[in-house]
Amino acid sequence: MSVGIDEISFYTPNYYLDLRTLAKAKNIEVEKYYNGIGQEKMSMPGHDEDIVTMAANAAKPIIDHTDTSSIRTLLFATETGVDQSKSAGVYAHRLLGLSPNCRVVELKQACYSATAAIQMACALVARQPEQKVLVLASDIARYDLGSPGEATQGCGAVAMVVSAKPRLVEIDPDVGNFAEDVMDFWRPNYRSNALVDGKYSTKVYLHSLKKAWENFVHSSSLAFTNFSHFCYHLPFSRMAEKAHRHLSRINNSTLNLEAMTRQFEDSLHYNRVIGNSYTASIYISLVSLLENCKHDLEGKKIGFFSYGSGCVSEFFSGTVVSGYDKFLHTLGHQKMLAEREEVDYETYLALYHYPEYTDGEAHSFEAMTKGHFRLAGVNGHKREYVSC
Ligand code: CAA
């Protein structure tokens, strides 16, 4: 029986900083950002948005037409947890009106955990094909101002329904994993910004790709030439080029540069203008591929490389289902991106600095989001989410 991704929708907040503005403020050539790291814009959340509101907003277009009683599990993947104890998924569960008979849990391993969620969801559905699993992945990528990582910030969320006989992408059971205890990117509990050894992290990413691929071919009958397209974890879009060149070299690929680029370029469109969204990024890259590839992808094999610093990585594969294009949310996604508001450098700084709310007093946040859900305030250390 086939299992996989039945529906997918993403959300990103309504503000963005053009990296031209950042380049000007830092006196850096814009080509470094636009070409060197391959990023044009970064989404910025308003003060009334967080991983919960973004995830609920990503899921809403799906939930609006889904029989929610069929969703028996909600898996919430994030690096940007808002509570050490309570799963962000429990807030999203209420906002989305899901059944009380639903299992809800949060998963963490830097940018990788949405892939763990997908694999767990496939296993649950294989055991009970009548049930569906809602996978939410939501993150806000934040680095210190003035650090090399600053230009690779961003935020976004993705919602995916995993089911039997999926309408979009069947996920194959064979995977390749690689894990190693390294300090390339991490965020101690007392910090809201990630710490990163940037250049080292890209090296670990490529090393993990090689190792996960070697483990994949050990168990799968698929070879590199069986794949027509690839989706990579995208901390910045240029990373896909580095990764794909690396994997092509490992496999002695005879494709020329143009043909090689065609295998990943359509997966980059949305991430280039959203920025890093950690757990969500590889799945937003899948949406980008499905919605922007001019060729019919029916029956095509997609290779996925999911990477989470620290590090855990996985190479896995999927097959695009016939008629997939009828079940995409392309117009909604493109409208959302087109209607975002560009901010100037001062507004970016104001958005970057969250208001202080950790004293236990009552704090309310200005209504800034154009989404359906917002964080209205924090009162007595309790987060108060509302529908708009
Ligand atoms: N025109 C065109 N290109 C230019 C340029 C110009 N004027 N100036 C510089 N460049 C190029 C450089 O040549 C370089 O290209 P190559 O990689 O091909 O050599 C590229 O722009 C980047 O410039 P630098 O090498 O000077 O790099 P930097 O010091 O700005 O740092 C970075 C880049 C390490 C990615 C940094 O942005 C960073 O630390 N980002 C956060 C960490 C990260 O994203 N790591 C990725 C792997 S870890 C992961 O995947 C998990 C995760 O989500 C974080």
Side-chain angles (χ1 to χ4, degrees), residues 337-368:
L337 290 173
E339 290 179 352
R340 288 185 302 168
E341 184 186 322
E342 181 176 353
V343 297
D344 58 21
Y345 187 64
E346 286 67 37
T347 310
Y348 156 69
L349 291 178
L351 289 172
Y352 179 92
H353 293 292
Y354 291 134
E356 183 57 49
Y357 59 81
T358 55
D359 58 8
E361 299 296 316
H363 298 273
S364 56
F365 302 134
E366 184 190 344
M368 299 175 92

Side-chain angles (χ1 to χ4, degrees), residues 29 31-32 35-37 111 143 148-150 152 184-185 196-199 201-202 205 233-236 238-239 242 276 278 307-309:
E29 286 181 15
E31 288 74 22
K32 171 169 178 180
N35 303 327
I37 63 168
C111 309
Y143 297 96
E150 184 180 0
T152 65
D184 61 330
F185 165 108
V196 62
D197 188 342
K199 298 256 163 65
S201 70
T202 59
Y205 179 118
H233 166 55
L234 294 177
F236 51 93
R238 186 82 198 296
M239 195 68 221
K242 289 171 189 279
N276 197 353
Y278 293 163
Y307 176 74
S309 289

Side-chain angles (χ1 to χ4, degrees), residues 60-347:
K60 190 168 188 309
I62 298 178
I63 295 302
D64 279 349
H65 65 83
T66 299
D67 168 16
T68 51
S69 66
S70 63
I71 298 175
R72 295 302 307 272
T73 301
L74 189 169
L75 301 176
F76 197 114
T78 188
E79 187 272 356
T80 327
V82 293
D83 194 293
Q84 296 282 31
S85 176
K86 178 167 174 162
S87 163
V90 180
Y91 296 115
H93 173 271
R94 174 178 65 79
L95 292 174
L96 295 169
L98 300 188
S99 159
N101 304 118
C102 183
R103 174 192 292 123
V104 183
V105 71
E106 183 173 308
L107 292 91
K108 174 174 71 180
Q109 175 38 53
C111 309
Y112 163 74
S113 62
T115 296
I118 289 287
Q119 297 296 358
M120 289 173 190
C122 287
L124 285 169
V125 171
R127 197 165 67 170
Q128 288 185 306
E130 69 285 359
Q131 71 160 277
K132 292 179 178 171
V133 178
L134 179 63
V135 173
L136 301 177
S138 183
D139 272 309
I140 299 171
R142 277 172 64 90
Y143 297 96
D144 287 343
L145 296 177
S147 71
E150 184 180 0
T152 65
Q153 298 177 113
C155 57
V158 70
M160 295 172 275
V161 172
V162 173
S163 74
K165 296 191 191 136
R167 293 172 297 174
L168 298 182
V169 180
E170 293 171 0
I171 302 292
D172 302 326
D174 294 319
V175 303
N177 293 107
F178 178 71
E180 189 177 23
D181 183 3
V182 289
M183 297 302 280
D184 61 330
F185 165 108
W186 67 106
R187 190 164 66 80
N189 285 346
Y190 47 83
R191 281 186 64 97
S192 56
N193 295 353
L195 294 164
V196 62
D197 188 342
K199 298 256 163 65
Y200 176 58
S201 70
T202 59
K203 287 198 177 81
V204 182
Y205 179 118
L206 295 178
H207 177 66
S208 300
L209 170 60
K210 179 172 184 284
K211 292 293 187 185
W213 170 257
E214 285 169 0
N215 189 234
F216 176 76
V217 288
H218 201 64
S219 58
S220 172
S221 57
L222 295 170
F224 185 70
T225 46
N226 293 123
F227 293 97
S228 71
H229 292 81
F230 292 80
C231 290
Y232 292 94
H233 166 55
L234 294 177
F236 51 93
S237 293
R238 186 82 198 296
M239 195 68 221
E241 180 196 320
K242 289 171 189 279
H244 199 55
R245 214 188 301 140
H246 193 59
L247 195 59
S248 301
R249 206 180 300 124
I250 291 166
N251 286 286
N252 301 315
S253 171
T254 53
L255 291 181
N256 62 27
L257 184 64
E258 206 181 315
M260 200 175 81
T261 304
R262 271 200 299 273
Q263 293 190 308
F264 65 86
E265 64 185 352
D266 284 326
S267 71
L268 307 183
H269 298 293
Y270 296 152
N271 299 68
R272 275 184 79 85
V273 296
I274 290 173
N276 197 353
S277 55
Y278 293 163
T279 53
S281 93
I282 182 174
Y283 297 100
I284 293 179
S285 98
L286 170 64
V287 183
S288 178
L289 171 64
L290 296 176
E291 295 185 352
N292 292 293
C293 184
K294 301 277 181 290
H295 305 288
D296 187 358
L297 291 169
E298 177 187 338
K300 299 288 186 204
K301 273 280 173 220
I302 302 179
F304 296 87
F305 177 64
S306 180
Y307 176 74
S309 289
C311 69
V312 175
S313 61
E314 182 160 324
F315 193 97
F316 65 103
S317 61
T319 311
V320 182
V321 178
S322 163
Y324 69 98
D325 51 324
K326 293 195 275 299
F327 304 105
L328 300 171
H329 292 266
T330 313
L331 290 179
H333 291 148
Q334 292 178 351
K335 185 168 180 290
M336 175 178 64
L337 290 173
E339 290 179 352
R340 288 185 302 168
E341 184 186 322
E342 181 176 353
V343 297
D344 58 21
Y345 187 64
E346 286 67 37
T347 310

